[in-house]
Amino acid sequence: MNLSVEEAFEMVSYERLTPEEVHFSGAALLDNDESTDADLKEGDPELPLLPQSPRCSITAALLTLGGLIVVLSAVWLLGTLFWIHNPPSTESHRPPSPKSQNGTGLQPESCSQVPEGWRFDCYPERNVVVTEDMCHARNCCFIQSSRGNVSAQNGVPWCFYTPDYPSYELMSIVDTEMGKVGKLLRNKKTYYPKDIDALQLEVLFEEDHRLRVKITDPTEKRYEVPIDVPVVHKRASNPSYTVDFIKEPFGLIVKRTQTGAVLLNTSIAPLFYADQFLQMSSSLPTRFIYGLGEHRSNFLHDVQWNTLTMWARDVPPMELTNLYGVHPFYLSMEADGNAHGFFMLNSNAMDVVLQPAPAVTWRMIGGILDFYIFLGPDPSSVIGQYLDVVGKPAMPIYWALGYHLCRWGYKTSNKTWSVVKEMRNYGIPQDVQWNDIDYMDRSLDFTYDPSGFSTLPDLVKDLQRHDQHYVMILDPGISNSQPPGSYWPFDEGKKKGIFINDSNGDILIGKVWPGLTAFPDFSNPDTHEWWYQNLQRFHNKVPFDGVWIDMNEPSNFFDGSLNGCPDNELENPPYTPGILGGTLKGKTVCASARQKISVHYNIHSLYGLMEAQATESALRRITKKRPFIISRSTFPSQGKYSGHWLGDNRSQWKDLATSIPGMLTFNILGIPLIGADICGFGGSTTEELCVRWTQLGAFYPFTRNHNSIDEQDQEPTAFSPAARTAMKEAILLRYSLFPHLYTLFHHAHVSGRTVATPLLFQFPTDEKTYGIDKQFLWGKSLLVTPVLDAGRDYVVGYFPKGLWYDFHTGNSLISSGEEIKLEAPADKINLHLREGSVIPTQRPNTTLWVSSGQPLHLIVSLSEDGRAKGDLYWDDGETIDSYESNQYAYIYFTVEQNTMMSEVLHNHEEATYITVETASFYGVKAKPENVTVNSQEAAFTYLDNQVLTVTDLGLNLSHNFTISWM
């Protein structure tokens, strides 16, 4: 029920929802009061969802009142006698100890009535065996699990909150221009130090499909994440949500207006808000939850007591571990196929706990509670609304979508060059060559080895003469141990004061590849200018095209610093989330280190984002083209500045398979330029694995083969002729699809759509798609079904209900929503077109620069009723802000009633250079008698599998055209 301010405070009291009531109704249940009963009628939308208790007679009421007076008098007398002998404790804010209703135990009987799935952990500290006394010291319920003698870290908690555990009380709430502002008050201390007793609640109705809630300390400014988010000045006129309030214990309930689905309900567990411990729980409408990166897991998260820790960390991908990036955003599917999103704008270390109720708990060690709810209602809209807040991804430079080749351990520029030449000799497409840290002189940033890489400038110039490009790695650690005056990056950085300092104000010294290092403070604008100057100086020697920023969690081979870290509350907070290693300083700098805008404790997980911002700005100035940056550490809004790869994986089939959920997750997190190291980084690949990985990798939005030092060669040229040919064909297939892929990135940039798309996004009412992460779509229409297991010449894929076509042949497949076994010989990856689509393709070549000038081939997959639609975005591929400055062409294709029409919705001279040479129509049910192009008869072929192909069209893309058949 949606309570006005007046109605809310006419109620005598509020009840916390039981788990069952939350799960099935999600409504705020209110105690009944005679003063309000008279005003609420049958069918009134303000009526509680449970039936009202019958009213008592006047006589019964008087008897009850008299008895109550007697009982209260007796209690007062006994209490007074007890107080005389036992004066009150000085801990006046300590909550009362749990008391049994029958006097035989230490906890209320209500503890045993809490279902296991709804038990919220009162003792989340790790590596602790929780005893009954420890639990009761926190005034919580204790029920030991029967599943073992040790409390399982990811199991049902033994120690959990009582149903009436003290929390905040909503003291007042008033309307504002943007929503509501309330005051929360806590009058019972918690077991974490420095409780903030009075809080301000701000509810902002920002957009019809976006709600923002901030809970802050009104008396003292606390750290807030310094990323740009929209500032809205006008309240949503027709919100698709309602917001209900529960007074005591405080709760916030957000429901979807149209369906009544409960999207947020914080009344199910107490709210904590201490200086270094914030906790908020909410019910979830279903168990279907996605996002919450960066973790190695299935695309669909497990809600069986699954804790996802967030704190940027240098560690090869593994399960149940905090990895390189931090993305506190989830997408949740509802029971009817609707979707919503939740974003917690907080960069402090945190645990996000999923439990089978289903419910989620956010547990953070700093900052504020600042969160958004996005109401979609379809999954794609949710992602667009999220990216409206954090920023939509940049449009990549065209060659970013080509094939990239890299390894750590080429060891010389001549060896690197020879690999490039071999790729050319075999006619295998390659757009970009990379080097890892072995190109550097003694691993020093902004240098190259004058011995092994003396020909590096010549290599780069040769690449560029062949329409190819060069990317180099940079680590943030800057050596501080070179002779004074010999290493400009450190000398200049020290002079400008741009390095991270320790808690004493001295430059913090860690250790990375070059030895002892200082770390640039990218939260300082002066550091951005220093970074640009270093890049410009190096670009004058080696004219690189893009930058790979690695080790930017930041990674440190020491725990903290050369001199350790102080023993204080920043290094040892009252609660430490489940970080690998157990401490905030593990393999990074001290949490107490000083940076320009805050201590490292608050902004650690922003380091990669801030370095990407500095690098993106510098490359714009240096190259005057769209910057190309790939970053290891990421944070929300990263897609505006860089892409990402999934880290130091291994050459194993498992890593091949887990790359798909990683890729899908980062697409919903707003970083569509994403891929994994093809054939694996660590360990040596096999030929079969590398072939299958190259086939899948051809459909990563960012496709790079990367290998570790001293491992077996894994370039396509290193394998047998059959394997080499299979890899070449996969890469050529990608290059032929470049017009479609480029258009998908345009939509990601403008509208926040995904490039690699989960099936559930297009089929949200088909629950069978909710857990699929072994297949994916490009955009809406191209289904990719790769082989992910050794020794297989087939693959089983799920096809949602409808008509599908084999991309290569046009053979049709009608699915009722079922799994289908597909042939998959070693040289094939299965691709299928969804009915009703138009896909622009292009004759491929060995670089995208050459390919992008080739004629188009349009592939049309007709629906059962003969309809289809599609589009093409086209520009020069490298100009900054082409779309924003109207330097682009956009063409829309439609097919109906045996006629295809192209409509140039926005024209540009780039479109005049491209022609449409052929068009194939899949699903033409009868052989046409004739085909006309712009009313002129044209030659065509028609095959028994209902594929009509029209050739030799020569149509200029910049002009409207029609193709008809009868």
Side-chain angles (χ1 to χ4, degrees), residues 75 330 372 394 448 961:
V75 169
Y330 69 72
Y372 293 83
Y448 66 93
F961 62 80

Side-chain angles (χ1 to χ4, degrees), residues 513-580:
W513 298 113
L516 298 180
T517 58
F519 297 89
D521 175 10
F522 289 105
S523 76
N524 185 346
D526 294 340
T527 309
H528 289 220
E529 183 62 24
W530 166 87
W531 191 246
Y532 158 71
Q533 292 171 357
N534 278 283
L535 283 164
Q536 178 67 77
R537 286 162 60 93
F538 190 66
H539 191 268
N540 291 338
K541 301 173 185 177
V542 180
F544 57 85
D545 299 289
V547 176
W548 170 21
I549 50 177
D550 192 18
M551 306 288 286
N552 55 351
E553 291 71 33
S555 178
N556 182 4
F557 297 167
F558 292 140
D559 285 349
S561 79
L562 174 65
N563 300 317
C565 302
D567 183 9
N568 60 28
E569 60 187 8
L570 291 178
E571 301 295 341
N572 303 292
Y575 175 81
T576 301
I579 297 162
L580 180 64

